[in-house]
Amino acid sequence: MRAKRIAKLVALAAATLVSANALAQDNKALSEEEKNYQAGGSPLADVPMYQSTNPKAPKMTQAEFDRARQIYFERCAGCHGVLRKGATGKPLTPDITLAKGTDYLKVFIAYGSPAGMPNWQTSGEFDAATVDLMARYVQQDPPTPPEWSLADTKNTWKVIVPPDQRPKKKMNKYNLENIFSTTLRDTGEVALIDGDTKEIINIIKTGYAVHISRISASGRYLFVIGRDAKINMIDLWMEKPDNVAEVRVGLEARSVETSKFKGYQDKLAIAGSYWPPQFTIMNGDTLEPLKIVSTRGMVVGTQEYHPEPRVASILASHYKPEFIVNVKETGKTLMVDYSNLNALKTTEIGSAPFLHDGGLDSSKRYFMVAANNSNKIAAIDTKDGKLAGLTEVGKIPHPGRGANFNHPTYGPVWSTGHLGDETISLIGTDPEKHKQYAFKEVAKLKGPGGGALFVKSHPKSSHLWSDAPLNPDPKISQAVVVYDIKNLDKGYQTLPIAEWADLPNDGGAKRVTQPEYNKAGDEVWFAVWSAKDKASALVVVDDKTLKLKKVIKDPRLITPTGHFNVYNTQHDVY
């Protein structure tokens, strides 16, 4: 009997192996760029959690469980969710995984799938023992991270320099509007860089892996948020700009913004959390937490409950006292009226899952947000508070804030690149003078390959730029492409940014990411991003001549990734 049982298991594993291996060979279904994107981690690896025991699950020691939990949050949670309910990846809850069994799951983890599951063993990331560990782990009940209340938030709140002790006027000679805030991802810092002199002003301690930098409406305060949900508020008026307040709004987060509507400038700040799924509204000059709102609820279309709808991106409306809060898993945009926090009003606009990042069109009326797993762009009318359009685009749109420019035929357009294909989609954004093109994909530009994260242009430029840092080909990931807006049919020109950086041949990845203009619109800055033990740099290109203008090197520039110009970020110029 025992021999027959073993034979059956072997046959099952072999059949599953053939099936999974065949799926893994389907290169059209899953690209290397998508694998790089889907295998995102979470800062929750070391957070204490409640753990229940499922008697039907395979045996695991406490040490094995703790190790598997760490791996899951470092490698898997970004795709499958904290509670394993599914996000951009499939659900991995015990009701599903126990029925599959350990042998099936081992092969699935080892070889991956066309749906986005990386081939962890055959890629060399996991050995056989780790694959076995993770196959047993996903059959256990998911451990639950703690919630995060207003009291928890207040316990982390720190006012370093109270408002009445801050400068009454600007105390330095920097051209504040041309300062760049550059994320130093793996050191938990940002570098403030003088855009005029190209000198580092200060290296400021922040949360881990700052995701974005945002500027207050007045241009005085810089807000940055780490993936560990820590917000730092930096006063640019100080003789040497530095932190004046900080707070932590949860255990994992991505977005922060400030109020911009007339009469509310600098009054409030808001941050959105991945865990717990909620957003927090704060005092704009101290970060004192004032109100927390949960985003748990029903998914657009299916109307099924989702326990973990993460807050992806937030923008401030220029038309109303509202924050535009985009909820990833449920596919909803929430127009949050902040005029009365004691009687908070929210308008819910449904589009498509999974809402990610985006930016305003050139009129600043329409918010263009990527529903990246639905391959759509939703246009939210921030004046009328409704969905203006839902546009089918390429595979996994990832625009950053996108890029606005005037097309010779279609008028004002907003554009996005894609992680999953080589195209850049142009979408019309002018329903008044170019109604026939409004919120439709009017053109596709061909790029060098997938893996793009950011596109960028500027009102004073005739160029459109795109990176591709997640492309598996170093020739593509270490370069950028640029298009002449007046002659888009000509195709792109490639600039070897990493080569221009002239960094040591130390084996660093040298991925080039996030084009960002200076205030004048005549320079484009790029991060050349390598590992934290390898040399990195910033490269400045002349936008008119497309020639190298400056390489910024400093041993303190460790893993530079995103960078944000103060003026352009403050005024939503992109």
Side-chain angles (χ1 to χ4, degrees), residues 79-142:
C79 192
H80 296 285
V82 169
L83 301 178
R84 306 210 306 260
K85 293 284 189 180
T88 50
K90 300 292 185 183
L92 293 175
T93 45
D95 59 314
I96 298 170
T97 54
L98 281 169
K100 297 291 186 185
T102 302
D103 293 298
Y104 176 93
L105 293 167
K106 283 167 65 174
V107 176
F108 186 72
I109 294 168
Y111 288 90
S113 84
M117 178 72 172
N119 51 325
W120 290 108
Q121 185 173 339
T122 57
S123 67
E125 294 285 339
F126 290 176
D127 58 19
T130 304
V131 168
D132 175 75
L133 179 74
M134 298 309 295
R136 288 182 287 134
Y137 173 77
V138 295
Q139 295 175 75
Q140 315 293 323
D141 291 343

Coordinates of all heavy atoms in Angstrom, one line a residue, residues 79-142:
C79 N 2.3 40.8 -4.3 CA 1.5 40.3 -5.4 C 0.2 39.5 -4.8 O -0.9 39.7 -5.3 CB 2.3 39.3 -6.3 SG 1.5 38.8 -7.8
H80 N 0.4 38.7 -3.8 CA -0.7 37.9 -3.3 C -1.4 38.5 -2.1 O -2.4 38.0 -1.7 CB -0.2 36.5 -2.9 CG 0.4 35.7 -4.1 ND1 -0.4 35.1 -5.0 CD2 1.7 35.5 -4.4 CE1 0.3 34.5 -5.9 NE2 1.6 34.7 -5.6
G81 N -0.9 39.6 -1.6 CA -1.6 40.3 -0.5 C -1.1 39.8 0.9 O -0.6 38.7 1.1
V82 N -1.2 40.7 1.9 CA -0.8 40.4 3.2 C -1.6 39.2 3.8 O -1.0 38.3 4.4 CB -1.0 41.6 4.1 CG1 -0.9 41.2 5.6 CG2 -0.1 42.7 3.8
L83 N -2.9 39.1 3.5 CA -3.7 38.1 4.0 C -3.9 36.9 3.0 O -4.7 36.0 3.2 CB -5.1 38.6 4.4 CG -5.2 39.7 5.4 CD1 -6.6 40.2 5.6 CD2 -4.6 39.3 6.7
R84 N -3.1 37.0 1.9 CA -3.1 35.9 0.9 C -4.5 35.8 0.2 O -4.8 34.7 -0.4 CB -2.6 34.6 1.4 CG -1.3 34.6 2.2 CD -0.5 33.3 2.0 NE -1.2 32.1 2.5 CZ -1.1 31.5 3.6 NH1 -0.2 32.0 4.5 NH2 -1.7 30.4 3.9
K85 N -5.3 36.9 0.3 CA -6.6 36.8 -0.4 C -6.5 37.1 -1.9 O -7.5 37.0 -2.6 CB -7.5 37.9 0.2 CG -7.8 37.6 1.7 CD -8.9 36.5 1.8 CE -9.4 36.4 3.2 NZ -10.4 35.3 3.3
G86 N -5.3 37.5 -2.4 CA -5.1 37.8 -3.8 C -5.1 39.2 -4.0 O -5.8 40.0 -3.4
A87 N -4.2 39.7 -4.9 CA -4.2 41.1 -5.4 C -3.9 41.0 -6.9 O -4.8 40.6 -7.6 CB -3.1 41.8 -4.6
T88 N -2.7 41.4 -7.3 CA -2.4 41.2 -8.7 C -2.1 39.7 -8.9 O -2.1 39.2 -10.1 CB -1.2 42.0 -9.1 OG1 -0.1 41.8 -8.2 CG2 -1.6 43.5 -9.2
G89 N -1.8 38.9 -7.9 CA -1.6 37.5 -7.9 C -2.9 36.7 -7.4 O -3.8 37.3 -6.8
K90 N -2.9 35.4 -7.6 CA -4.0 34.6 -7.2 C -4.1 34.5 -5.7 O -3.1 34.6 -5.0 CB -3.9 33.2 -7.8 CG -3.9 33.2 -9.4 CD -5.2 33.7 -10.0 CE -5.2 33.6 -11.5 NZ -6.4 34.0 -12.1
P91 N -5.3 34.2 -5.1 CA -5.4 33.9 -3.7 C -4.6 32.6 -3.3 O -4.5 31.7 -4.1 CB -6.9 33.7 -3.5 CG -7.6 34.3 -4.7 CD -6.6 34.2 -5.8
L92 N -4.1 32.7 -2.1 CA -3.3 31.5 -1.6 C -3.8 31.2 -0.2 O -3.0 30.9 0.7 CB -1.8 31.8 -1.6 CG -1.1 32.0 -3.0 CD1 0.4 32.4 -2.8 CD2 -1.2 30.7 -3.8
T93 N -5.1 31.1 -0.1 CA -5.6 30.8 1.3 C -5.8 29.3 1.4 O -5.9 28.5 0.4 CB -7.0 31.5 1.4 OG1 -7.8 31.3 0.2 CG2 -6.8 32.9 1.6
P94 N -5.8 28.7 2.6 CA -5.8 27.3 2.9 C -7.0 26.5 2.2 O -6.8 25.4 1.8 CB -5.9 27.2 4.4 CG -5.4 28.4 4.9 CD -5.7 29.5 3.9
D95 N -8.1 27.2 2.0 CA -9.2 26.5 1.3 C -8.9 26.1 -0.1 O -9.4 25.2 -0.7 CB -10.5 27.4 1.3 CG -10.3 28.7 0.6 OD1 -9.3 29.3 0.9 OD2 -11.1 29.1 -0.2
I96 N -7.9 26.8 -0.7 CA -7.4 26.6 -2.1 C -6.1 25.7 -2.0 O -6.0 24.7 -2.7 CB -7.1 27.9 -2.8 CG1 -8.4 28.7 -3.0 CG2 -6.4 27.6 -4.2 CD1 -8.2 30.1 -3.5
T97 N -5.2 26.1 -1.2 CA -3.9 25.4 -1.2 C -3.9 24.0 -0.6 O -3.2 23.2 -1.1 CB -2.8 26.3 -0.4 OG1 -3.3 26.6 0.9 CG2 -2.6 27.6 -1.2
L98 N -4.7 23.8 0.4 CA -4.8 22.4 1.0 C -5.3 21.4 0.0 O -4.9 20.3 -0.1 CB -5.7 22.4 2.3 CG -5.0 23.0 3.5 CD1 -6.1 23.2 4.6 CD2 -4.0 22.0 4.0
A99 N -6.3 21.9 -0.8 CA -6.8 21.0 -1.9 C -5.8 20.7 -2.9 O -5.8 19.6 -3.5 CB -8.0 21.7 -2.5
K100 N -4.9 21.6 -3.2 CA -3.8 21.4 -4.2 C -2.8 20.4 -3.7 O -2.3 19.5 -4.5 CB -3.1 22.7 -4.6 CG -4.0 23.7 -5.2 CD -4.5 23.4 -6.6 CE -5.3 24.5 -7.2 NZ -5.8 24.0 -8.6
G101 N -2.4 20.5 -2.4 CA -1.4 19.6 -1.9 C 0.0 20.1 -2.0 O 0.3 20.9 -2.9
T102 N 0.9 19.6 -1.2 CA 2.3 20.0 -1.2 C 3.0 19.7 -2.5 O 3.7 20.6 -3.0 CB 3.0 19.3 0.0 OG1 2.3 19.6 1.2 CG2 4.5 19.8 0.1
D103 N 2.8 18.6 -3.1 CA 3.6 18.2 -4.3 C 3.2 19.2 -5.4 O 4.1 19.6 -6.2 CB 3.3 16.8 -4.7 CG 3.8 15.8 -3.7 OD1 5.1 15.8 -3.5 OD2 3.1 15.1 -3.0
Y104 N 1.9 19.4 -5.6 CA 1.5 20.3 -6.7 C 2.1 21.7 -6.4 O 2.6 22.4 -7.3 CB 0.0 20.4 -6.7 CG -0.5 21.4 -7.7 CD1 -0.9 21.1 -9.0 CD2 -0.7 22.8 -7.4 CE1 -1.3 22.0 -9.9 CE2 -1.1 23.7 -8.3 CZ -1.5 23.3 -9.5 OH -1.9 24.2 -10.5
L105 N 2.0 22.2 -5.2 CA 2.5 23.5 -4.9 C 4.0 23.7 -5.0 O 4.5 24.7 -5.5 CB 2.1 23.9 -3.4 CG 0.6 24.1 -3.2 CD1 0.3 24.1 -1.7 CD2 0.0 25.3 -3.9
K106 N 4.7 22.6 -4.7 CA 6.2 22.7 -4.9 C 6.5 22.9 -6.4 O 7.4 23.7 -6.7 CB 6.8 21.4 -4.4 CG 6.9 21.3 -2.9 CD 7.3 19.9 -2.4 CE 8.6 19.5 -2.8 NZ 9.0 18.2 -2.2
V107 N 5.9 22.2 -7.2 CA 6.1 22.3 -8.7 C 5.7 23.7 -9.2 O 6.4 24.4 -9.9 CB 5.4 21.2 -9.5 CG1 5.6 21.4 -11.0 CG2 6.0 19.9 -9.1
F108 N 4.6 24.2 -8.7 CA 4.1 25.5 -9.1 C 5.0 26.6 -8.7 O 5.3 27.5 -9.4 CB 2.7 25.7 -8.4 CG 2.0 27.0 -8.9 CD1 1.5 27.1 -10.1 CD2 1.9 28.0 -8.0 CE1 0.8 28.3 -10.5 CE2 1.2 29.2 -8.4 CZ 0.7 29.3 -9.6
I109 N 5.5 26.5 -7.4 CA 6.5 27.5 -6.9 C 7.8 27.4 -7.7 O 8.4 28.4 -8.0 CB 6.7 27.3 -5.4 CG1 5.4 27.7 -4.7 CG2 7.9 28.2 -4.9 CD1 5.4 27.2 -3.2
A110 N 8.2 26.2 -8.0 CA 9.5 26.0 -8.6 C 9.5 26.5 -10.1 O 10.5 27.2 -10.5 CB 9.9 24.5 -8.6
Y111 N 8.4 26.3 -10.8 CA 8.4 26.6 -12.2 C 7.6 27.8 -12.6 O 7.7 28.3 -13.7 CB 7.9 25.4 -13.0 CG 8.9 24.3 -13.1 CD1 8.9 23.3 -12.1 CD2 9.8 24.2 -14.1 CE1 9.8 22.3 -12.1 CE2 10.8 23.2 -14.1 CZ 10.8 22.2 -13.1 OH 11.7 21.2 -13.2
G112 N 6.7 28.3 -11.7 CA 6.0 29.5 -12.0 C 4.8 29.2 -12.9 O 4.4 28.1 -13.2
S113 N 4.2 30.3 -13.4 CA 3.0 30.2 -14.3 C 2.9 31.4 -15.1 O 3.4 32.5 -14.8 CB 1.7 30.0 -13.4 OG 1.2 31.3 -13.0
P114 N 2.2 31.3 -16.2 CA 2.0 32.4 -17.1 C 1.2 33.6 -16.5 O 1.2 34.7 -17.0 CB 1.2 31.9 -18.3 CG 1.4 30.4 -18.3 CD 1.6 30.1 -16.8
A115 N 0.5 33.3 -15.4 CA -0.4 34.3 -14.8 C 0.4 35.4 -14.0 O -0.1 36.4 -13.6 CB -1.4 33.7 -13.9
G116 N 1.7 35.1 -13.9 CA 2.6 36.1 -13.2 C 3.4 35.5 -12.1 O 4.2 36.2 -11.4
M117 N 3.3 34.2 -11.8 CA 4.1 33.6 -10.7 C 5.5 33.4 -11.2 O 5.7 32.6 -12.2 CB 3.4 32.3 -10.4 CG 4.2 31.5 -9.3 SD 4.0 32.2 -7.7 CE 4.7 31.0 -6.7
P118 N 6.5 33.9 -10.6 CA 7.9 33.7 -11.0 C 8.3 32.2 -10.8 O 7.7 31.5 -9.9 CB 8.7 34.6 -10.1 CG 7.7 35.7 -9.6 CD 6.4 35.0 -9.5
N119 N 9.2 31.8 -11.5 CA 9.8 30.4 -11.4 C 10.9 30.5 -10.4 O 12.1 30.5 -10.7 CB 10.3 29.9 -12.8 CG 11.2 30.9 -13.5 OD1 11.0 32.1 -13.4 ND2 12.2 30.4 -14.2
W120 N 10.6 30.4 -9.1 CA 11.5 30.7 -8.1 C 12.7 29.7 -8.0 O 13.8 30.1 -7.7 CB 10.8 30.6 -6.7 CG 9.8 31.8 -6.6 CD1 8.5 31.8 -6.6 CD2 10.2 33.2 -6.3 NE1 7.9 33.0 -6.4 CE2 9.0 33.9 -6.2 CE3 11.4 33.8 -6.2 CZ2 8.9 35.3 -6.0 CZ3 11.4 35.2 -6.0 CH2 10.2 35.9 -5.9
Q121 N 12.5 28.4 -8.3 CA 13.6 27.5 -8.2 C 14.4 27.5 -9.5 O 15.6 27.5 -9.4 CB 13.1 26.1 -7.9 CG 14.2 25.1 -7.7 CD 13.8 23.7 -7.2 OE1 12.7 23.6 -6.7 NE2 14.6 22.7 -7.4
T122 N 13.8 27.4 -10.6 CA 14.5 27.3 -11.9 C 15.3 28.6 -12.2 O 16.2 28.6 -13.0 CB 13.6 26.9 -13.1 OG1 12.6 27.9 -13.2 CG2 13.0 25.5 -12.9
S123 N 14.8 29.7 -11.6 CA 15.6 31.0 -11.8 C 16.8 31.1 -10.9 O 17.6 32.0 -11.0 CB 14.6 32.2 -11.5 OG 14.3 32.2 -10.1
G124 N 16.9 30.1 -9.9 CA 18.0 30.2 -8.9 C 17.7 31.0 -7.7 O 18.6 31.0 -6.8
E125 N 16.5 31.6 -7.6 CA 16.2 32.4 -6.4 C 16.0 31.5 -5.1 O 16.4 31.8 -4.0 CB 14.9 33.2 -6.6 CG 15.1 34.2 -7.7 CD 15.9 35.4 -7.2 OE1 16.0 35.7 -6.0 OE2 16.4 36.2 -8.1
F126 N 15.3 30.3 -5.3 CA 15.1 29.4 -4.2 C 15.8 28.1 -4.5 O 15.9 27.7 -5.7 CB 13.6 29.1 -4.0 CG 12.7 30.2 -3.5 CD1 11.4 30.0 -3.4 CD2 13.3 31.4 -3.1 CE1 10.6 31.0 -2.9 CE2 12.5 32.4 -2.6 CZ 11.1 32.2 -2.5
D127 N 16.2 27.4 -3.4 CA 16.7 26.0 -3.6 C 15.5 25.1 -3.3 O 14.4 25.5 -3.0 CB 17.9 25.6 -2.7 CG 17.6 25.9 -1.2 OD1 16.4 25.9 -0.8 OD2 18.6 26.0 -0.5
A128 N 15.7 23.8 -3.5 CA 14.6 22.8 -3.3 C 14.0 22.8 -1.9 O 12.8 22.7 -1.7 CB 15.0 21.4 -3.7
A129 N 14.9 23.0 -0.9 CA 14.4 23.0 0.5 C 13.5 24.2 0.7 O 12.5 24.1 1.5 CB 15.6 23.0 1.4
T130 N 13.8 25.4 0.2 CA 13.0 26.6 0.3 C 11.7 26.4 -0.4 O 10.6 26.9 0.1 CB 13.8 27.8 -0.2 OG1 15.0 27.9 0.5 CG2 13.0 29.1 0.1
V131 N 11.7 25.8 -1.5 CA 10.4 25.6 -2.3 C 9.5 24.7 -1.4 O 8.3 24.9 -1.3 CB 10.7 24.9 -3.6 CG1 9.4 24.4 -4.2 CG2 11.4 25.9 -4.6
D132 N 10.1 23.6 -0.8 CA 9.3 22.7 0.1 C 8.7 23.5 1.3 O 7.6 23.4 1.7 CB 10.2 21.6 0.5 CG 9.4 20.7 1.5 OD1 8.6 19.9 1.1 OD2 9.7 20.8 2.7
L133 N 9.6 24.4 1.8 CA 9.2 25.2 3.0 C 8.0 26.1 2.6 O 7.0 26.1 3.4 CB 10.4 26.1 3.4 CG 10.1 27.0 4.6 CD1 10.1 26.2 5.9 CD2 11.2 28.1 4.7
M134 N 8.1 26.7 1.5 CA 7.0 27.7 1.1 C 5.7 26.9 0.7 O 4.6 27.4 0.9 CB 7.5 28.6 -0.1 CG 8.6 29.5 0.3 SD 8.4 30.4 1.8 CE 7.0 31.5 1.4
A135 N 5.9 25.7 0.1 CA 4.7 24.9 -0.2 C 3.9 24.5 1.0 O 2.7 24.5 1.0 CB 5.1 23.7 -1.0
R136 N 4.6 24.2 2.1 CA 3.9 23.9 3.3 C 3.4 25.1 4.0 O 2.3 25.1 4.6 CB 4.9 23.2 4.3 CG 5.2 21.7 3.8 CD 6.1 21.0 4.8 NE 7.5 21.5 4.7 CZ 8.3 21.8 5.8 NH1 7.8 21.7 7.0 NH2 9.5 22.2 5.6
Y137 N 4.1 26.3 3.9 CA 3.7 27.5 4.6 C 2.3 28.0 4.0 O 1.5 28.4 4.8 CB 4.7 28.6 4.4 CG 4.3 29.9 4.9 CD1 4.3 30.2 6.2 CD2 3.9 30.9 4.0 CE1 3.9 31.5 6.7 CE2 3.5 32.2 4.5 CZ 3.5 32.4 5.8 OH 3.1 33.7 6.3
V138 N 2.2 28.0 2.7 CA 0.9 28.6 2.1 C -0.3 27.7 2.4 O -1.4 28.1 2.1 CB 1.1 28.9 0.6 CG1 2.1 30.0 0.4 CG2 1.4 27.6 -0.2
Q139 N -0.1 26.6 3.0 CA -1.2 25.7 3.4 C -1.6 26.0 4.9 O -2.7 25.6 5.4 CB -0.9 24.3 3.3 CG -0.7 23.8 1.8 CD -0.3 22.4 1.7 OE1 -1.1 21.5 1.8 NE2 1.0 22.2 1.4
Q140 N -0.8 26.8 5.6 CA -1.2 27.2 7.0 C -2.2 28.4 6.9 O -2.3 29.1 5.9 CB 0.1 27.7 7.7 CG 1.3 26.8 7.6 CD 1.1 25.4 8.2 OE1 0.5 25.3 9.3 NE2 1.7 24.4 7.6
D141 N -2.8 28.6 8.0 CA -3.7 29.8 8.1 C -2.8 31.1 8.0 O -1.7 31.1 8.7 CB -4.4 29.9 9.4 CG -5.5 28.8 9.5 OD1 -5.9 28.3 8.4 OD2 -6.0 28.5 10.6
P142 N -3.1 32.1 7.2 CA -2.3 33.3 7.1 C -2.2 34.0 8.5 O -3.2 34.2 9.1 CB -3.0 34.1 6.1 CG -3.9 33.2 5.4 CD -4.3 32.2 6.4

